[in-house]
Amino acid sequence: MAKFDLNDDSVIVIVGSGAGGGTLANELAQKGIRSVVLEAGKRFTMDDIENDEWAMFSKISWLDKRYSAGGWHGAQNHPNLPAWIVKGVGGSTVHWAGVSLRFQEHEFKMKTTNGAVAGANVLDWPIGLKELLPYYKKAEDKMGVTGETTGMPHLPWNNDFRVLAEGARRMGMKEIVSGPMAINSVDRDGRPACQQIGFCMQGCKIGAKWSTMYTEIPRAEKTGKCEVRPNSMVLKIEHDKSGKVNGVVYADLDGKVHKQKARAVCVAGNSIESPRLLLNSESSMFPNGLANGTSGQVGKNYMTHTTAGVYGVLPKPVNMHRGTTVAGIVSDEAHNNTKRGFTGGYQLEVLSLGLPFLSAFMVPGPTGWGRGVASALEKYKYMSGVWICGEDLAQEQNRITLHDTEKDQYGLPVPIVAKTPHINDVNMTNHAYTTMKNIYESVGSKEVYNLPAYPASHNMGTNRMSADAKDGVVNKWGQAHEVSNLFVSDGSQFTSSGSENPTLTIVALAIRQAEYISKQLNAGKL
């Protein structure tokens, strides 16, 4: 396994090891490019994975102090848990559903398609579907996504999806599929087929679901071109007199501070930690944060998807806990049609919550107890559930900022994550609630429960792509407009959220970025 010297300034430093960072590390390693991956969390093994929702939450979640702010209910009900992401090697590819949908063309061109939206900060991506399509195929092949690219059949339907699919069919819907999922339906690429164990959102016990934890990271390390340093919290990125980055300061498990010199730095710490790091890297040359001089957009336009849950009580037992957690998708409402009263669209994704999580999220906060909640939970085995995942329009007020006085265990200002729904979110959510009520009632449900948004597990924006430097932080390669050897490699570079789960697009962008970095190195430009 490679081990690089702290003074080796020829390496590329990657901050984070999830979908963006882990993929980028392996892609660079396969091209013979050396990197050091600094991961804030520990390294987990397959023995750490349990089929227990709360045990896994406590084990893998990023629980360093954060504040939730803004107008969403989570500011009161989840004041220190604005986002639900992983701190560990593999990042949030340890905790994810496996849903691997491609963006639709219009979702790259939201401003061109819909024009300016009052109260929002909508912008087109500097790339489109045509440009990203070859990289979507490479990502699907790498991750093992069921469907056309790999030839793997989609996963079998569980009872929960059968309920949704039949209700959707009775409502005239047609886009009903149990995929595409980055979960093996047959043995492939050294990983086994899904065994329908269930409770797999917080980690797949057998490795059927793709994760950089046991695919990209070990493959990168095997080349001898990549060193992964777990328990390494990055404190600051430093630069030289010309403004080019030249090293990363980090604290190890014992709190000892080091500086790893670097030829280039790629930030992939999620839409909260990546902008936080840039803001913490302020200097006399960049007084508002690294790469934040021209646009002032670092930390802004935080997006999480417009989300909610809907659970119906059916006449006969469903036992939704059996089988894959997210076993199927209905996409009939994912198109862009403003006649419905909102911009963008939404997916209906089966979400089989276990009883412990359903208990926590059915009525979050101090009112989540009593006869009404208990009565609903007594009917758990008759319940079928769906997660709504829709376009979340960028707003400048939704942002990551640094606390003025409070510091974390590393001495860094605690991040404040502000989120306030746009009227577009309200209208979309109400439309989705009505759609799901009709679906569940069409198959005999007499009780339908609407759940508010969960703490965000999809985090996007805050370092967005833009064609013009005044509108965003990075260009179409994820390269900072203001610092040529600084890259953003995670979902924070998203310009819009789309209605699709973000992981596939993050991986596609990382593959594409690795090609660009390789060409820049060969041309002597990095």
Side-chain angles (χ1 to χ4, degrees):
M1 192 174 295
K3 186 168 180 60
F4 300 117
D5 191 273
L6 290 170
N7 291 312
D8 187 340
D9 59 4
S10 68
V11 299
I12 291 178
V13 172
I14 301 172
V15 182
S17 61
T23 300
L24 182 64
N26 189 29
E27 289 290 310
L28 293 177
Q30 300 303 327
K31 299 177 190 304
I33 300 169
R34 304 186 308 159
S35 69
V36 173
V37 178
L38 299 176
E39 166 55 54
K42 63 180 289 187
R43 191 188 292 264
F44 295 103
T45 70
M46 298 303 286
D47 290 337
D48 290 312
I49 306 296
E50 302 176 58
N51 297 116
D52 183 318
E53 292 173 331
W54 281 117
M56 286 303 295
F57 173 83
S58 300
K59 188 179 293 185
I60 66 176
S61 298
W62 190 298
L63 298 175
D64 294 7
K65 195 161 191 178
R66 293 169 168 169
Y67 286 108
S68 182
W72 83 298
H73 79 91
Q76 286 75 45
N77 294 326
H78 308 290
N80 296 116
L81 188 68
W84 196 342
I85 58 179
V86 174
K87 188 175 186 179
V89 173
S92 292
T93 65
V94 180
H95 169 156
W96 76 300
V99 177
S100 299
L101 295 161
R102 300 174 182 174
F103 264 49
Q104 302 165 79
E105 177 60 39
H106 75 268
E107 291 168 330
F108 290 99
K109 308 293 180 187
M110 287 299 287
K111 189 170 186 179
T112 298
T113 302
N114 300 293
V117 179
N121 191 25
V122 177
L123 186 71
D124 289 348
W125 292 59
I127 59 174
L129 179 60
K130 183 178 180 181
E131 189 170 349
L132 201 56
L133 191 57
Y135 300 96
Y136 271 141
K137 292 179 180 177
K138 290 181 180 181
E140 289 163 350
D141 182 58
K142 173 191 288 290
M143 299 163 73
V145 175
T146 60
E148 183 178 345
T149 297
T150 63
M152 277 196 295
H154 293 313
L155 296 168
W157 293 20
N158 64 9
N159 283 353
D160 200 4
F161 187 52
R162 287 190 175 92
V163 171
L164 172 64
E166 178 58 21
R169 187 190 66 78
R170 293 184 185 187
M171 297 304 298
M173 295 181 173
K174 297 178 180 177
E175 297 180 44
I176 304 166
V177 187
S178 61
M181 306 288 290
I183 300 175
N184 279 358
S185 58
V186 298
D187 293 357
R188 183 181 185 274
D189 196 27
R191 293 186 286 126
C194 175
Q195 299 300 308
Q196 299 290 304
I197 299 169
F199 301 105
C200 53
M201 180 78 87
Q202 291 77 33
C204 176
K205 183 67 179 173
I206 61 173
K209 181 168 61 180
W210 178 84
S211 170
T212 61
M213 169 185 157
Y214 41 76
T215 58
E216 308 305 308
I217 291 295
R219 288 173 182 176
E221 292 177 312
K222 190 176 180 181
T223 66
K225 302 292 183 182
C226 177
E227 179 187 355
V228 178
R229 297 178 192 163
N231 300 303
S232 298
M233 179 68 187
V234 175
L235 310 177
K236 186 175 185 178
I237 301 171
E238 295 189 336
H239 61 80
D240 61 20
K241 292 180 180 177
S242 72
K244 295 183 71 172
V245 296
N246 60 10
V248 173
V249 178
Y250 68 96
D252 66 18
L253 182 61
D254 299 320
K256 187 176 180 180
V257 176
H258 309 270
K259 178 180 177 180
Q260 174 63 56
K261 292 186 176 180
R263 184 173 191 167
V265 175
C266 302
V267 179
N270 197 279
S271 287
I272 297 174
E273 292 303 317
S274 288
R276 182 190 185 203
L277 175 58
L278 298 186
L279 294 172
N280 276 326
S281 300
E282 63 177 350
S283 65
S284 57
M285 184 175 286
F286 299 100
N288 298 316
L290 188 62
N292 196 33
T294 303
S295 68
Q297 291 287 305
V298 171
K300 296 180 180 178
N301 310 301
Y302 176 59
M303 300 173 288
T304 62
H305 277 136
T306 296
T307 68
V310 183
Y311 287 77
V313 179
L314 279 296
K316 295 182 179 178
V318 177
N319 290 308
M320 66 173 170
H321 61 283
R322 296 175 181 170
T324 310
T325 300
V326 180
I329 305 155
V330 176
S331 300
D332 290 71
E333 298 289 353
H335 56 286
N336 188 71
N337 176 9
T338 55
K339 292 181 179 178
R340 293 175 297 181
F342 54 87
T343 299
Y346 61 87
Q347 311 279 349
L348 299 173
E349 301 180 358
V350 159
L351 180 56
S352 304
L353 288 180
L355 183 58
F357 274 4
L358 187 63
S359 304
F361 297 121
M362 174 162 274
V363 184
T367 58
W369 61 282
R371 182 170 297 177
V373 175
S375 175
L377 295 176
E378 283 177 349
K379 301 161 189 166
Y380 175 77
K381 73 176 182 178
Y382 294 89
M383 281 188 167
S384 178
V386 155
W387 189 59
I388 298 158
C389 183
E391 180 88 39
D392 180 10
L393 301 180
Q395 300 180 74
E396 283 201 2
Q397 66 171 337
N398 292 340
R399 59 186 300 193
I400 313 303
T401 55
L402 305 179
H403 199 285
D404 288 336
T405 57
E406 193 165 345
K407 305 287 181 65
D408 67 7
Q409 68 269 39
Y410 306 104
L412 299 173
V414 172
I416 301 171
V417 183
K419 185 81 167 63
T420 297
H422 189 277
I423 186 61
N424 198 72
D425 303 320
V426 176
N427 292 341
M428 181 185 291
T429 302
N430 287 336
H431 188 277
Y433 280 155
T434 300
T435 299
M436 281 311 307
K437 182 173 185 291
N438 291 337
I439 286 175
Y440 280 142
E441 288 183 349
S442 75
V443 288
S445 175
K446 303 294 185 185
E447 298 176 58
V448 178
Y449 297 91
N450 294 334
L451 279 59
Y454 313 134
S457 51
H458 294 172
N459 293 273
M460 297 158 285
T462 68
N463 288 315
R464 71 178 181 181
M465 276 189 184
S466 64
D468 193 320
K470 68 178 175 53
D471 296 323
V473 180
V474 299
N475 65 18
K476 68 177 185 178
W477 304 107
Q479 183 180 30
H481 286 300
E482 299 177 15
V483 184
S484 62
N485 63 340
L486 173 66
F487 292 83
V488 172
S489 313
D490 56 19
S492 70
Q493 64 187 309
F494 280 28
T495 310
S496 65
S497 75
S499 62
E500 294 77 15
N501 307 46
T503 302
L504 178 71
T505 301
I506 295 172
V507 174
L509 290 171
I511 296 170
R512 179 172 171 273
Q513 187 180 75
E515 284 188 6
Y516 177 74
I517 290 174
S518 177
K519 290 177 181 176
Q520 292 288 294
L521 288 170
N522 291 335
K525 295 181 178 179
L526 278 181

